[in-house]
Amino acid sequence: MSYRPYFSALDELKAELENNPLLEVYKSQLQYGPGSEVVKILLSDWEIEAPEEVINFYGEVGKASFEWQLKENAFIDHQKAENLLITGHIELLSLDQSLLGFNPSKGWKDVVWFEDMNEEDLAFYQSIRPFDFFFPDSGKMACFRVANGKITEKLFLFGDEIGLQEMDIGVKEYVELLVQTRGMLSWQEAWLFKGGKNQKQIKHYLPRLFNEVNLEGF
């Protein structure tokens, strides 16, 4: 079997999370993709063009879903903060879910966009396609936009509170950062905005929870 860098990186993360005694792992799922040639056929059927990084990723990875939380009795040096929840969420959707929605007959209606939006907002929100739908309760995701039948090369961070923010990175760098941070909640905001409590939390806890932590860029 040919080397699959995306799948291999996520598979190593899967093993690391499952074998960490400090964590409760509630979800740990990783599926192979169908191969880049099949992805190209699917995209052609849907009349959508995609960057090579997107094609390669979905060729290797069907979907990936991880959820972990620091155990209540974990004996580590805690930050002094109220209602502190140390958790990680990763929800890399399958290609068909990303482009067609959880329910293909509705697409992302009533999840990302709503019928009562004005015409301009509706057209904008209908272009959004989740890639990593890591916190759906507050609409937080890393996403593509599909414009004129083309998936954008760069990803965006989207959420109810922050709106749409360009991350200026593609799938390859996103997955690298995802693995680097183990999907710790709010890593995207810590990386994008720098500073603040999210960055401090990541810098405090990641080295205490995991070995070989690289926080370059944070």
Side-chain angles (χ1 to χ4, degrees):
M1 182 180 291
S2 60
Y3 180 55
R4 296 173 174 236
Y6 291 115
F7 187 92
S8 296
L10 291 168
D11 198 33
E12 290 176 10
L13 174 61
K14 182 176 187 291
E16 182 182 32
L17 295 176
E18 291 174 352
N19 292 311
N20 190 323
L22 296 172
L23 306 181
E24 294 283 1
V25 179
Y26 301 112
K27 194 184 296 184
S28 182
Q29 300 171 354
L30 177 62
Q31 294 182 8
Y32 278 115
S36 58
E37 293 306 312
V38 174
V39 170
K40 290 177 183 177
I41 292 170
L42 290 171
L43 290 169
S44 178
D45 289 344
W46 296 328
E47 299 182 338
I48 294 175
E49 296 179 28
E52 203 66 26
E53 280 187 11
V54 174
I55 292 171
N56 291 338
F57 174 82
Y58 282 113
E60 294 182 27
V61 179
K63 61 181 179 179
S65 181
F66 303 98
E67 183 178 345
W68 58 265
Q69 184 174 319
L70 178 65
K71 290 180 178 177
E72 288 186 8
N73 60 351
F75 188 71
I76 66 170
D77 177 23
H78 281 282
Q79 278 185 324
K80 293 181 179 179
E82 293 183 5
N83 302 318
L84 195 60
L85 182 64
I86 307 305
T87 184
H89 296 257
I90 299 169
E91 196 68 43
L92 299 171
L93 303 184
S94 65
L95 180 63
D96 61 319
Q97 282 185 331
S98 176
L99 295 179
L100 307 180
F102 290 138
N103 182 345
S105 66
K106 295 178 60 177
W108 289 106
K109 178 184 176 184
D110 299 329
V111 180
V112 176
W113 60 270
F114 301 87
E115 281 188 339
D116 60 356
M117 288 178 166
N118 64 53
E119 189 174 338
E120 184 178 350
D121 284 346
L122 184 62
F124 173 79
Y125 283 100
Q126 284 180 332
S127 73
I128 292 173
R129 297 293 187 280
F131 173 61
D132 180 12
F133 207 164
F134 55 89
F135 201 12
D137 288 349
S138 63
K140 285 188 177 180
M141 66 179 81
C143 59
F144 309 109
R145 291 189 65 201
V146 177
N148 301 316
K150 295 182 179 181
I151 296 175
T152 52
E153 289 196 22
K154 303 298 185 183
L155 288 164
F156 298 82
L157 184 62
F158 177 73
D160 294 344
E161 295 179 359
I162 63 171
L164 190 74
Q165 304 286 336
E166 187 169 356
M167 298 190 75
D168 200 31
I169 55 173
V171 166
K172 182 177 182 294
E173 191 171 356
Y174 184 89
V175 173
E176 289 172 353
L177 290 166
L178 180 74
V179 171
Q180 183 179 328
T181 59
R182 281 69 168 183
M184 188 169 174
L185 194 63
S186 298
W187 75 260
Q188 296 91 343
E189 290 162 89
W191 179 82
L192 185 61
F193 302 121
K194 311 301 183 192
K197 66 176 183 179
N198 291 325
Q199 186 186 57
K200 290 179 182 177
Q201 189 167 299
I202 283 174
K203 286 188 171 183
H204 180 88
Y205 280 101
L206 279 179
R208 290 166 169 80
L209 297 179
F210 302 99
N211 297 320
E212 299 181 17
V213 172
N214 172 17
L215 290 175
E216 184 178 352
F218 287 86

